[in-house]
Amino acid sequence: MIPPIASKFVAGETPAEALDHARAMNERDVNVILNLLGEHYDDRRAADEDAEAYLRLLDDIERSDVSACVSVKPSQVGLDVGTHVYRENMERIADAADDAFVWMDMEDHETTDATLDTFEQLAYEHEGGIGVCVQANLKRTEADLERLADVPGKVRLVKGAYDEPAEIAYKDKARVDEVYREYLEYMFREFDGGIAVGSHDPAMIEHARELHEEYGTDFEIQMLMGVREDAQYELAEDYEVWQYVPYGGKWLSYFYRRVMERKENLLFAARAVLSR
Ligand code: FAD
């Protein structure tokens, strides 16, 4: 069982617990993106097992009344084993998702080409039911956004969670914020909707709201479970908000990552437990 301190960031170990959390969020007008925790499998069996878990989850979503979609890490469904394994598993997942949307998370820069190529292929085959994440800290992202502008589907812009080499990535936080703003401007100007602002940063969200006013382009806001949840509920009164919700047995390393990236998270989690 997940200890109460970690359950601020992880919905549970089972799909049933994740769907219960989804229902609770839906009641607050927040939609849910479910992510089964797991990554970097170097044998095919583990990758296939997680792909099959996603197929069962999509079936559960289909049969439930929740507003939920899924987000899949490439290395979780086979990218470290081989691009063809990743592609085959993503195809199975995309085929199984009738009405539910399928997101592809983005991992480190060595995976970007394979992830975008697979996204592009699936996005055309599934008429816009697929989305991909791009990272503002990578210098290549400007060109990637140009490539993605006319592809059906959605694009989630994040600042980037991986520690990338300086030759290919902006390392300075202020510079990443600056390009994030520029990329948002490009997306609101050139995209025909399908924009997901994947950020907790009030300044980026405000910028997106202003761009929406200026260009009228549709967008959604995505944030992680356990982070700025009051803001999520408030924003959901006026905008489409999706909460990224991890679940599954591999919760410990995810919880550790949340605490390491922001030490206050431990304090917030402890407070949430004490106030129960
Ligand atoms: P930061 O730049 O970290 O912080 C800016 C401001 O936001 C802070 O000053 C504060 O005001 C506010 N803030 C941030 N965190 C908190 C907090 N915990 N509590 C209170 N206020 C806070 N990265 C990838 O590389 N690949 C992915 O596929 C990916 N998917 C993601 C999906 C979603 C839905 C989200 C939200 C993020 C994803 N990320 C992904 C992570 C992303 O790249 C960033 O590392 C992460 O979101 C931190 O950047 P930020 O824009 O949220 O804010």
Side-chain angles (χ1 to χ4, degrees):
M1 208 182 97
I2 295 185
I5 195 143
S7 59
K8 183 169 159 56
F9 300 106
V10 180
E13 290 193 295
T14 65
E17 288 169 294
L19 288 170
D20 281 348
H21 177 81
R23 261 180 219 103
M25 287 302 105
N26 287 176
E27 273 172 28
R28 308 200 70 155
D29 292 330
V30 172
N31 311 283
V32 160
I33 306 168
L34 296 173
N35 169 256
L36 171 63
L37 290 163
E39 59 196 315
H40 295 304
Y41 298 139
D42 53 16
D43 82 291
R44 174 150 199 169
R45 210 184 47 176
D48 288 349
E49 272 171 17
D50 273 21
E52 274 142 33
Y54 274 112
L55 301 185
R56 290 192 297 276
L57 178 64
L58 284 164
D59 199 39
D60 289 345
I61 293 173
E62 199 67 40
R63 284 188 289 108
S64 74
D65 50 354
V66 297
S67 172
C69 65
V70 299
S71 201
V72 182
K73 284 212 173 349
S75 72
Q76 170 174 33
V77 291
L79 189 55
D80 291 357
V81 187
T83 306
H84 66 288
V85 178
Y86 169 52
R87 208 167 271 215
E88 275 168 37
N89 275 330
M90 278 312 303
E91 264 169 12
R92 293 165 71 201
I93 292 168
D95 288 346
D98 280 344
D99 292 329
F101 197 84
V102 176
W103 280 100
M104 295 158 62
D105 284 350
M106 187 61 82
E107 296 177 288
D108 69 82
H109 74 277
E110 291 184 352
T111 68
T112 312
D113 282 326
T115 307
L116 292 183
D117 291 348
T118 305
F119 164 71
E120 202 168 343
Q121 180 203 322
L122 293 178
Y124 283 111
E125 287 170 10
H126 293 83
E127 290 167 24
I130 314 286
V132 73
C133 177
V134 295
Q135 300 149 324
N137 66 330
L138 292 188
K139 293 177 183 168
R140 59 173 288 165
T141 293
E142 184 175 0
D144 289 337
L145 285 173
E146 281 170 21
R147 165 185 174 182
L148 296 173
D150 295 325
V151 178
K154 295 186 188 178
V155 176
R156 172 201 303 154
L157 181 66
V158 299
K159 290 187 187 174
Y162 296 83
D163 187 16
E164 303 286 13
E167 309 85 72
I168 58 151
Y170 303 111
K171 305 296 286 180
D172 177 41
K173 197 178 158 5
R175 180 72 181 123
V176 175
D177 286 353
E178 193 182 320
V179 291
Y180 192 100
R181 286 168 176 278
E182 287 168 14
Y183 294 158
L184 277 183
E185 283 153 26
Y186 177 81
M187 291 169 83
F188 275 88
R189 213 176 45 240
E190 302 294 335
F191 280 34
D192 187 17
I195 301 170
V197 180
S199 175
H200 309 105
D201 191 337
M204 300 308 145
I205 291 162
E206 187 50 34
H207 194 45
R209 294 164 80 157
E210 287 163 8
L211 290 165
H212 171 68
E213 289 298 313
E214 187 177 346
Y215 294 103
T217 320
D218 286 338
F219 77 113
E220 64 191 56
I221 298 163
Q222 299 187 354
M223 294 196 202
L224 303 182
M225 177 181 175
V227 180
R228 299 197 68 220
E229 285 199 349
D230 287 345
Q232 297 180 26
Y233 306 146
E234 211 178 297
L235 286 163
E237 289 171 15
D238 298 314
Y239 300 97
E240 189 176 330
V241 175
W242 289 80
Q243 183 183 89
Y244 186 104
V245 176
Y247 76 96
K250 300 188 179 77
W251 55 267
L252 186 59
S253 55
Y254 178 82
F255 175 61
Y256 180 73
R257 212 183 307 157
R258 292 279 79 79
V259 169
M260 290 316 286
E261 80 186 3
R262 199 176 168 93
K263 301 288 176 339
E264 297 98 304
N265 276 342
L266 191 58
L267 195 66
F268 292 142
R271 262 200 218 128
V273 173
L274 292 174
S275 64
R276 276 179 183 182

